[in-house]
Amino acid sequence: MTSATAYAYLGPEGTFTEAALRRLPAYAAHGEELPRRPYPSVPAALDAVRRGDCATAVVPLENSVKGVVPATMDQLAESGLHITGEVELPVTFALMAPAGTDLGDVREVYSHPHALAQCAGWLDEHLPGARAVPADSTAAAAREVARRPGGGAAAVAAPPAAERYGLRVLAAGLGRRGGAVTRFVAVSPAWFPPARTDRDRTSLVVTTEDGGPARLAAVLGLFTDRDIEVSRVHAWPTGERLGSYRYFVDVDGHVENPAVRRVLSHLPGAGASARFLGSYPRWTAVPPRSVVGMRSAPAPAVVPSRSAGAERLGTTERRLRGRLRSDHPAPSTRT
């Protein structure tokens, strides 16, 4: 196989990201014949795509308990890469350690910061004296602990990592709450989005003229006024000054849908512009149905035309209140 068919992912082997990659429809359709290449961080996986070493990278985007993954948000905000698919994966954690290590022996617990945060309650109750040690991924934590037998180290990781790295499960079902889900995205340089289906999502990075949130309600109102569901909004700092943000916006529908294109053409009139991140099938257990007669067309990078009458900051703001979420975790370049 050549690099044109390889998939990069946040490694090492045994991460939740690898499990998500194996469930990605575009990958699973080939019966796992395509090569998978683990990388130590989200930036490294995406750099492999930029260099052409891999065709696609699969990286975590957000978790239902701890919110967005900073490294992925930073990369998507700045890069010219596009989202071509998504996977939502339930996440469960286990505490694991080398053979001969019992729960009472554990002095250090290694894991990804999101996993440590999700399991903090359990760890405080059962291992109050243990030191939390952040790792690049849950599987990296398991691999590191496997190299430290007899040292009182344990890892919080996906249960399959125990078998992969020869560890013994000390406790299972860790986590702040049941039903936690992580959303992963497939990212590639492809400019043409996947073919339109009847259950698509379009992702955008929206920038307002002043960088502040005042115009955002009017921008979102352009979608809701046309019955286009806004399913996700995250404010992300531009780094230019305090209070200046980009807005990651997900809406239901494909960029080829006339209603979606019409809204995009009206954004400049609302004092905003948008960078297209991708249109792709929303994650569901039901396979997508292609819309007959539609073909993929180049999507706009920056919305071109103008339209008047987008200053809807009264009724629209009230309608959208409670829908907006702003996640500002501390900056990070690794996950």
PDB file of all heavy atoms in Angstrom, residues 156-186:
ATOM      1  N   VAL A 156      -5.089   4.502  33.420  1.00  0.00           N
ATOM      2  CA  VAL A 156      -6.507   4.539  33.070  1.00  0.00           C
ATOM      3  C   VAL A 156      -6.574   4.533  31.552  1.00  0.00           C
ATOM      4  O   VAL A 156      -6.068   5.449  30.901  1.00  0.00           O
ATOM      5  CB  VAL A 156      -7.198   5.789  33.636  1.00  0.00           C
ATOM      6  CG1 VAL A 156      -8.606   5.915  33.072  1.00  0.00           C
ATOM      7  CG2 VAL A 156      -7.231   5.735  35.161  1.00  0.00           C
ATOM      8  N   ALA A 157      -7.177   3.497  30.987  1.00  0.00           N
ATOM      9  CA  ALA A 157      -7.183   3.348  29.528  1.00  0.00           C
ATOM     10  C   ALA A 157      -8.390   2.518  29.109  1.00  0.00           C
ATOM     11  O   ALA A 157      -9.159   2.021  29.952  1.00  0.00           O
ATOM     12  CB  ALA A 157      -5.880   2.693  29.053  1.00  0.00           C
ATOM     13  N   ALA A 158      -8.536   2.370  27.794  1.00  0.00           N
ATOM     14  CA  ALA A 158      -9.598   1.517  27.261  1.00  0.00           C
ATOM     15  C   ALA A 158      -9.312   0.070  27.648  1.00  0.00           C
ATOM     16  O   ALA A 158      -8.158  -0.370  27.615  1.00  0.00           O
ATOM     17  CB  ALA A 158      -9.658   1.655  25.746  1.00  0.00           C
ATOM     18  N   PRO A 159     -10.316  -0.704  28.019  1.00  0.00           N
ATOM     19  CA  PRO A 159     -10.083  -2.092  28.443  1.00  0.00           C
ATOM     20  C   PRO A 159      -9.228  -2.919  27.483  1.00  0.00           C
ATOM     21  O   PRO A 159      -8.383  -3.692  27.953  1.00  0.00           O
ATOM     22  CB  PRO A 159     -11.512  -2.651  28.571  1.00  0.00           C
ATOM     23  CG  PRO A 159     -12.337  -1.450  28.943  1.00  0.00           C
ATOM     24  CD  PRO A 159     -11.738  -0.305  28.171  1.00  0.00           C
ATOM     25  N   PRO A 160      -9.383  -2.796  26.140  1.00  0.00           N
ATOM     26  CA  PRO A 160      -8.535  -3.608  25.260  1.00  0.00           C
ATOM     27  C   PRO A 160      -7.038  -3.311  25.395  1.00  0.00           C
ATOM     28  O   PRO A 160      -6.212  -4.152  25.023  1.00  0.00           O
ATOM     29  CB  PRO A 160      -9.036  -3.239  23.854  1.00  0.00           C
ATOM     30  CG  PRO A 160     -10.433  -2.774  24.056  1.00  0.00           C
ATOM     31  CD  PRO A 160     -10.411  -2.062  25.378  1.00  0.00           C
ATOM     32  N   ALA A 161      -6.679  -2.155  25.929  1.00  0.00           N
ATOM     33  CA  ALA A 161      -5.260  -1.830  26.075  1.00  0.00           C
ATOM     34  C   ALA A 161      -4.575  -2.744  27.068  1.00  0.00           C
ATOM     35  O   ALA A 161      -3.359  -2.973  26.987  1.00  0.00           O
ATOM     36  CB  ALA A 161      -5.097  -0.366  26.503  1.00  0.00           C
ATOM     37  N   ALA A 162      -5.339  -3.287  28.012  1.00  0.00           N
ATOM     38  CA  ALA A 162      -4.732  -4.189  28.996  1.00  0.00           C
ATOM     39  C   ALA A 162      -4.162  -5.422  28.321  1.00  0.00           C
ATOM     40  O   ALA A 162      -3.019  -5.830  28.579  1.00  0.00           O
ATOM     41  CB  ALA A 162      -5.778  -4.576  30.041  1.00  0.00           C
ATOM     42  N   GLU A 163      -4.937  -6.034  27.441  1.00  0.00           N
ATOM     43  CA  GLU A 163      -4.454  -7.215  26.730  1.00  0.00           C
ATOM     44  C   GLU A 163      -3.314  -6.861  25.781  1.00  0.00           C
ATOM     45  O   GLU A 163      -2.323  -7.588  25.683  1.00  0.00           O
ATOM     46  CB  GLU A 163      -5.600  -7.859  25.958  1.00  0.00           C
ATOM     47  CG  GLU A 163      -5.195  -9.124  25.207  1.00  0.00           C
ATOM     48  CD  GLU A 163      -6.368  -9.768  24.504  1.00  0.00           C
ATOM     49  OE1 GLU A 163      -7.505  -9.262  24.639  1.00  0.00           O
ATOM     50  OE2 GLU A 163      -6.152 -10.781  23.822  1.00  0.00           O
ATOM     51  N   ARG A 164      -3.441  -5.720  25.104  1.00  0.00           N
ATOM     52  CA  ARG A 164      -2.422  -5.337  24.121  1.00  0.00           C
ATOM     53  C   ARG A 164      -1.061  -5.128  24.776  1.00  0.00           C
ATOM     54  O   ARG A 164      -0.013  -5.456  24.204  1.00  0.00           O
ATOM     55  CB  ARG A 164      -2.863  -4.070  23.387  1.00  0.00           C
ATOM     56  CG  ARG A 164      -1.932  -3.678  22.233  1.00  0.00           C
ATOM     57  CD  ARG A 164      -2.447  -2.425  21.549  1.00  0.00           C
ATOM     58  NE  ARG A 164      -3.734  -2.648  20.919  1.00  0.00           N
ATOM     59  CZ  ARG A 164      -3.906  -3.035  19.673  1.00  0.00           C
ATOM     60  NH1 ARG A 164      -2.843  -3.301  18.924  1.00  0.00           N
ATOM     61  NH2 ARG A 164      -5.107  -3.185  19.181  1.00  0.00           N
ATOM     62  N   TYR A 165      -1.052  -4.574  25.995  1.00  0.00           N
ATOM     63  CA  TYR A 165       0.217  -4.252  26.644  1.00  0.00           C
ATOM     64  C   TYR A 165       0.534  -5.152  27.835  1.00  0.00           C
ATOM     65  O   TYR A 165       1.421  -4.856  28.630  1.00  0.00           O
ATOM     66  CB  TYR A 165       0.219  -2.774  27.073  1.00  0.00           C
ATOM     67  CG  TYR A 165       0.194  -1.848  25.880  1.00  0.00           C
ATOM     68  CD1 TYR A 165      -0.967  -1.190  25.514  1.00  0.00           C
ATOM     69  CD2 TYR A 165       1.325  -1.680  25.084  1.00  0.00           C
ATOM     70  CE1 TYR A 165      -1.001  -0.360  24.397  1.00  0.00           C
ATOM     71  CE2 TYR A 165       1.305  -0.858  23.973  1.00  0.00           C
ATOM     72  CZ  TYR A 165       0.144  -0.207  23.634  1.00  0.00           C
ATOM     73  OH  TYR A 165       0.114   0.607  22.522  1.00  0.00           O
ATOM     74  N   GLY A 166      -0.199  -6.259  27.966  1.00  0.00           N
ATOM     75  CA  GLY A 166       0.126  -7.251  28.979  1.00  0.00           C
ATOM     76  C   GLY A 166      -0.127  -6.787  30.401  1.00  0.00           C
ATOM     77  O   GLY A 166       0.617  -7.161  31.321  1.00  0.00           O
ATOM     78  N   LEU A 167      -1.177  -6.015  30.609  1.00  0.00           N
ATOM     79  CA  LEU A 167      -1.489  -5.502  31.940  1.00  0.00           C
ATOM     80  C   LEU A 167      -2.696  -6.228  32.527  1.00  0.00           C
ATOM     81  O   LEU A 167      -3.458  -6.877  31.816  1.00  0.00           O
ATOM     82  CB  LEU A 167      -1.784  -4.002  31.863  1.00  0.00           C
ATOM     83  CG  LEU A 167      -0.639  -3.130  31.315  1.00  0.00           C
ATOM     84  CD1 LEU A 167      -1.092  -1.685  31.167  1.00  0.00           C
ATOM     85  CD2 LEU A 167       0.587  -3.221  32.227  1.00  0.00           C
ATOM     86  N   ARG A 168      -2.856  -6.096  33.835  1.00  0.00           N
ATOM     87  CA  ARG A 168      -3.972  -6.723  34.539  1.00  0.00           C
ATOM     88  C   ARG A 168      -4.969  -5.640  34.939  1.00  0.00           C
ATOM     89  O   ARG A 168      -4.589  -4.590  35.456  1.00  0.00           O
ATOM     90  CB  ARG A 168      -3.465  -7.456  35.793  1.00  0.00           C
ATOM     91  CG  ARG A 168      -4.533  -8.216  36.552  1.00  0.00           C
ATOM     92  CD  ARG A 168      -3.889  -9.118  37.600  1.00  0.00           C
ATOM     93  NE  ARG A 168      -3.300  -8.358  38.691  1.00  0.00           N
ATOM     94  CZ  ARG A 168      -3.919  -8.087  39.840  1.00  0.00           C
ATOM     95  NH1 ARG A 168      -5.166  -8.499  40.018  1.00  0.00           N
ATOM     96  NH2 ARG A 168      -3.312  -7.424  40.793  1.00  0.00           N
ATOM     97  N   VAL A 169      -6.252  -5.875  34.681  1.00  0.00           N
ATOM     98  CA  VAL A 169      -7.286  -4.897  35.034  1.00  0.00           C
ATOM     99  C   VAL A 169      -7.550  -4.972  36.533  1.00  0.00           C
ATOM    100  O   VAL A 169      -7.908  -6.025  37.074  1.00  0.00           O
ATOM    101  CB  VAL A 169      -8.586  -5.172  34.238  1.00  0.00           C
ATOM    102  CG1 VAL A 169      -9.715  -4.257  34.748  1.00  0.00           C
ATOM    103  CG2 VAL A 169      -8.348  -4.932  32.752  1.00  0.00           C
ATOM    104  N   LEU A 170      -7.362  -3.830  37.210  1.00  0.00           N
ATOM    105  CA  LEU A 170      -7.623  -3.740  38.648  1.00  0.00           C
ATOM    106  C   LEU A 170      -9.046  -3.297  38.944  1.00  0.00           C
ATOM    107  O   LEU A 170      -9.598  -3.637  39.989  1.00  0.00           O
ATOM    108  CB  LEU A 170      -6.640  -2.756  39.300  1.00  0.00           C
ATOM    109  CG  LEU A 170      -5.145  -3.050  39.113  1.00  0.00           C
ATOM    110  CD1 LEU A 170      -4.322  -2.000  39.834  1.00  0.00           C
ATOM    111  CD2 LEU A 170      -4.808  -4.443  39.607  1.00  0.00           C
ATOM    112  N   ALA A 171      -9.622  -2.503  38.049  1.00  0.00           N
ATOM    113  CA  ALA A 171     -10.998  -2.025  38.234  1.00  0.00           C
ATOM    114  C   ALA A 171     -11.527  -1.601  36.870  1.00  0.00           C
ATOM    115  O   ALA A 171     -10.782  -1.088  36.041  1.00  0.00           O
ATOM    116  CB  ALA A 171     -11.047  -0.859  39.219  1.00  0.00           C
ATOM    117  N   ALA A 172     -12.813  -1.829  36.656  1.00  0.00           N
ATOM    118  CA  ALA A 172     -13.433  -1.478  35.380  1.00  0.00           C
ATOM    119  C   ALA A 172     -14.628  -0.564  35.628  1.00  0.00           C
ATOM    120  O   ALA A 172     -15.116  -0.435  36.751  1.00  0.00           O
ATOM    121  CB  ALA A 172     -13.874  -2.731  34.633  1.00  0.00           C
ATOM    122  N   GLY A 173     -15.081   0.079  34.553  1.00  0.00           N
ATOM    123  CA  GLY A 173     -16.247   0.942  34.655  1.00  0.00           C
ATOM    124  C   GLY A 173     -15.980   2.258  35.329  1.00  0.00           C
ATOM    125  O   GLY A 173     -16.883   2.867  35.920  1.00  0.00           O
ATOM    126  N   LEU A 174     -14.751   2.757  35.255  1.00  0.00           N
ATOM    127  CA  LEU A 174     -14.430   4.048  35.842  1.00  0.00           C
ATOM    128  C   LEU A 174     -15.063   5.155  35.006  1.00  0.00           C
ATOM    129  O   LEU A 174     -15.321   4.995  33.822  1.00  0.00           O
ATOM    130  CB  LEU A 174     -12.918   4.264  35.882  1.00  0.00           C
ATOM    131  CG  LEU A 174     -12.116   3.542  36.983  1.00  0.00           C
ATOM    132  CD1 LEU A 174     -12.167   2.050  36.815  1.00  0.00           C
ATOM    133  CD2 LEU A 174     -10.668   4.026  36.958  1.00  0.00           C
ATOM    134  N   GLY A 175     -15.258   6.297  35.606  1.00  0.00           N
ATOM    135  CA  GLY A 175     -15.787   7.424  34.856  1.00  0.00           C
ATOM    136  C   GLY A 175     -16.754   8.227  35.674  1.00  0.00           C
ATOM    137  O   GLY A 175     -17.456   7.680  36.539  1.00  0.00           O
ATOM    138  N   ARG A 176     -16.819   9.537  35.389  1.00  0.00           N
ATOM    139  CA  ARG A 176     -17.681  10.425  36.149  1.00  0.00           C
ATOM    140  C   ARG A 176     -19.151  10.074  35.958  1.00  0.00           C
ATOM    141  O   ARG A 176     -19.960  10.180  36.850  1.00  0.00           O
ATOM    142  CB  ARG A 176     -17.426  11.883  35.725  1.00  0.00           C
ATOM    143  CG  ARG A 176     -18.273  12.885  36.477  1.00  0.00           C
ATOM    144  CD  ARG A 176     -18.081  14.289  35.944  1.00  0.00           C
ATOM    145  NE  ARG A 176     -16.709  14.719  36.069  1.00  0.00           N
ATOM    146  CZ  ARG A 176     -16.278  15.920  35.669  1.00  0.00           C
ATOM    147  NH1 ARG A 176     -17.126  16.768  35.114  1.00  0.00           N
ATOM    148  NH2 ARG A 176     -15.014  16.256  35.810  1.00  0.00           N
ATOM    149  N   ARG A 177     -19.502   9.687  34.752  1.00  0.00           N
ATOM    150  CA  ARG A 177     -20.894   9.343  34.472  1.00  0.00           C
ATOM    151  C   ARG A 177     -20.935   8.325  33.339  1.00  0.00           C
ATOM    152  O   ARG A 177     -20.052   8.282  32.491  1.00  0.00           O
ATOM    153  CB  ARG A 177     -21.688  10.587  34.103  1.00  0.00           C
ATOM    154  CG  ARG A 177     -21.214  11.264  32.842  1.00  0.00           C
ATOM    155  CD  ARG A 177     -21.869  12.619  32.646  1.00  0.00           C
ATOM    156  NE  ARG A 177     -21.400  13.575  33.637  1.00  0.00           N
ATOM    157  CZ  ARG A 177     -21.584  14.888  33.515  1.00  0.00           C
ATOM    158  NH1 ARG A 177     -22.246  15.368  32.496  1.00  0.00           N
ATOM    159  NH2 ARG A 177     -21.123  15.709  34.433  1.00  0.00           N
ATOM    160  N   GLY A 178     -21.970   7.506  33.338  1.00  0.00           N
ATOM    161  CA  GLY A 178     -22.130   6.541  32.264  1.00  0.00           C
ATOM    162  C   GLY A 178     -22.587   7.218  30.984  1.00  0.00           C
ATOM    163  O   GLY A 178     -23.107   8.330  30.991  1.00  0.00           O
ATOM    164  N   GLY A 179     -22.391   6.535  29.875  1.00  0.00           N
ATOM    165  CA  GLY A 179     -22.844   7.058  28.598  1.00  0.00           C
ATOM    166  C   GLY A 179     -21.955   8.111  27.987  1.00  0.00           C
ATOM    167  O   GLY A 179     -22.380   8.816  27.068  1.00  0.00           O
ATOM    168  N   ALA A 180     -20.726   8.253  28.485  1.00  0.00           N
ATOM    169  CA  ALA A 180     -19.812   9.236  27.901  1.00  0.00           C
ATOM    170  C   ALA A 180     -19.488   8.855  26.458  1.00  0.00           C
ATOM    171  O   ALA A 180     -19.276   7.682  26.140  1.00  0.00           O
ATOM    172  CB  ALA A 180     -18.538   9.331  28.726  1.00  0.00           C
ATOM    173  N   VAL A 181     -19.448   9.842  25.595  1.00  0.00           N
ATOM    174  CA  VAL A 181     -19.192   9.631  24.168  1.00  0.00           C
ATOM    175  C   VAL A 181     -18.143  10.631  23.699  1.00  0.00           C
ATOM    176  O   VAL A 181     -18.155  11.796  24.108  1.00  0.00           O
ATOM    177  CB  VAL A 181     -20.487   9.815  23.340  1.00  0.00           C
ATOM    178  CG1 VAL A 181     -20.198   9.725  21.842  1.00  0.00           C
ATOM    179  CG2 VAL A 181     -21.527   8.774  23.741  1.00  0.00           C
ATOM    180  N   THR A 182     -17.231  10.167  22.860  1.00  0.00           N
ATOM    181  CA  THR A 182     -16.257  11.055  22.226  1.00  0.00           C
ATOM    182  C   THR A 182     -16.510  11.086  20.729  1.00  0.00           C
ATOM    183  O   THR A 182     -16.755  10.053  20.105  1.00  0.00           O
ATOM    184  CB  THR A 182     -14.811  10.601  22.502  1.00  0.00           C
ATOM    185  OG1 THR A 182     -14.560  10.677  23.913  1.00  0.00           O
ATOM    186  CG2 THR A 182     -13.809  11.481  21.778  1.00  0.00           C
ATOM    187  N   ARG A 183     -16.486  12.271  20.179  1.00  0.00           N
ATOM    188  CA  ARG A 183     -16.662  12.460  18.738  1.00  0.00           C
ATOM    189  C   ARG A 183     -15.284  12.579  18.087  1.00  0.00           C
ATOM    190  O   ARG A 183     -14.454  13.387  18.507  1.00  0.00           O
ATOM    191  CB  ARG A 183     -17.488  13.718  18.479  1.00  0.00           C
ATOM    192  CG  ARG A 183     -17.717  14.042  17.008  1.00  0.00           C
ATOM    193  CD  ARG A 183     -18.416  15.386  16.887  1.00  0.00           C
ATOM    194  NE  ARG A 183     -18.579  15.810  15.505  1.00  0.00           N
ATOM    195  CZ  ARG A 183     -18.824  17.056  15.134  1.00  0.00           C
ATOM    196  NH1 ARG A 183     -18.947  18.010  16.056  1.00  0.00           N
ATOM    197  NH2 ARG A 183     -18.951  17.370  13.863  1.00  0.00           N
ATOM    198  N   PHE A 184     -15.048  11.762  17.080  1.00  0.00           N
ATOM    199  CA  PHE A 184     -13.812  11.774  16.317  1.00  0.00           C
ATOM    200  C   PHE A 184     -14.113  12.237  14.893  1.00  0.00           C
ATOM    201  O   PHE A 184     -15.209  11.985  14.372  1.00  0.00           O
ATOM    202  CB  PHE A 184     -13.184  10.379  16.271  1.00  0.00           C
ATOM    203  CG  PHE A 184     -12.823   9.830  17.625  1.00  0.00           C
ATOM    204  CD1 PHE A 184     -13.778   9.202  18.415  1.00  0.00           C
ATOM    205  CD2 PHE A 184     -11.537   9.943  18.110  1.00  0.00           C
ATOM    206  CE1 PHE A 184     -13.465   8.702  19.672  1.00  0.00           C
ATOM    207  CE2 PHE A 184     -11.203   9.438  19.356  1.00  0.00           C
ATOM    208  CZ  PHE A 184     -12.175   8.821  20.145  1.00  0.00           C
ATOM    209  N   VAL A 185     -13.151  12.895  14.267  1.00  0.00           N
ATOM    210  CA  VAL A 185     -13.347  13.346  12.893  1.00  0.00           C
ATOM    211  C   VAL A 185     -12.221  12.839  12.009  1.00  0.00           C
ATOM    212  O   VAL A 185     -11.076  12.695  12.442  1.00  0.00           O
ATOM    213  CB  VAL A 185     -13.433  14.885  12.795  1.00  0.00           C
ATOM    214  CG1 VAL A 185     -14.736  15.377  13.412  1.00  0.00           C
ATOM    215  CG2 VAL A 185     -12.235  15.563  13.450  1.00  0.00           C
ATOM    216  N   ALA A 186     -12.582  12.533  10.753  1.00  0.00           N
ATOM    217  CA  ALA A 186     -11.601  12.197   9.718  1.00  0.00           C
ATOM    218  C   ALA A 186     -11.267  13.482   8.979  1.00  0.00           C
ATOM    219  O   ALA A 186     -12.156  14.230   8.573  1.00  0.00           O
ATOM    220  CB  ALA A 186     -12.177  11.161   8.762  1.00  0.00           C
TER     221      ALA A 186
END
